[in-house]
Amino acid sequence: SPRDVQQLDEERRRVGKDDFAVVDASDFNEAGGIYSCIDKLFAWFRHAPVAYPGASFYAKADDDSFVDVARLASFLRPAAGLPRVYGGYLQYDSFVTEEWRHCGWSAGPVGAAHARRHGCPKERRVYGPFPFVVGALTVMGGDLGSWFSSSPHVARLVEKGRGTCSQQEV
């Protein structure tokens, strides 16, 4: 919202640091739930490689996550230069593409298979369960982040998801 942007600008001036980015994504209070989380994640990973080209890694953490940056850097250092690095807080979910809606979430693959069988609509085409990492911490290698930010497929997927969300009640 305009008020949020104003408050962020005031904080930048007061603290003297520009250590956060504002991306074009829905706000949780506007779109709600899982959609807002996915939209923010996709928006950040489309923004970061353009704003910070050539980085070895791009990462996103929730504002209520504590990231031990030194430990994370030492963990990632051996993976620098490896292709398609993708990591973070791993979970499992299934997805109803026509509705841009997840179903069958679990912290583990067995639970996700059970959740899909008992929590996803039988009359819809459902994909999964598949592994993914969530907002608590998501990391992409530089090559994957660059592909993600310039992929027409990802852009179409995000636009489709945004269109689907705007048609639903939130």
Side-chain angles (χ1 to χ4, degrees):
S1 74
R3 176 148 169 68
D4 292 335
V5 172
Q6 179 186 4
Q7 288 177 328
L8 291 172
D9 286 342
E10 288 171 8
E11 180 179 332
R12 281 184 180 129
R13 282 191 296 279
R14 187 178 69 251
V15 175
K17 289 186 178 180
D18 192 15
D19 59 353
F20 54 87
V22 177
V23 295
D24 180 23
S26 67
D27 182 65
F28 186 84
N29 292 326
E30 296 167 3
I34 192 71
Y35 172 78
S36 180
C37 296
I38 292 170
D39 196 37
K40 288 177 184 178
L41 185 79
F42 277 47
W44 169 250
F45 282 109
R46 290 186 59 78
H47 165 81
V50 174
Y52 309 99
S56 296
F57 298 98
Y58 299 100
K60 178 207 167 290
D62 286 346
D63 62 351
D64 60 352
S65 295
F66 174 78
V67 179
D68 183 339
V69 176
R71 184 173 286 175
L72 178 61
S74 70
F75 179 76
L76 292 174
R77 199 167 288 114
L82 292 176
R84 298 175 298 281
V85 172
Y86 177 64
Y89 179 38
L90 184 66
Q91 297 186 13
Y92 296 80
D93 208 349
S94 296
F95 193 72
V96 183
T97 55
E98 299 87 24
E99 299 173 17
W100 190 254
R101 182 172 65 91
H102 75 107
C103 63
W105 170 88
S106 180
V110 174
H114 177 79
R116 177 187 172 161
R117 190 169 31 259
H118 299 287
C120 294
K122 307 268 188 273
E123 68 282 355
R124 297 278 191 206
R125 190 170 189 178
V126 175
Y127 295 92
F130 54 88
F132 71 101
V133 294
V134 296
L137 178 65
T138 304
V139 178
M140 284 188 190
D143 66 329
L144 185 58
S146 294
W147 170 83
F148 192 91
S149 72
S150 62
S151 168
H153 174 72
V154 172
R156 283 191 304 274
L157 181 66
V158 169
E159 288 310 309
K160 181 179 180 186
R162 286 177 172 173
T164 303
C165 183
S166 65
Q167 295 170 6
Q168 296 176 6
E169 285 188 37
V170 286

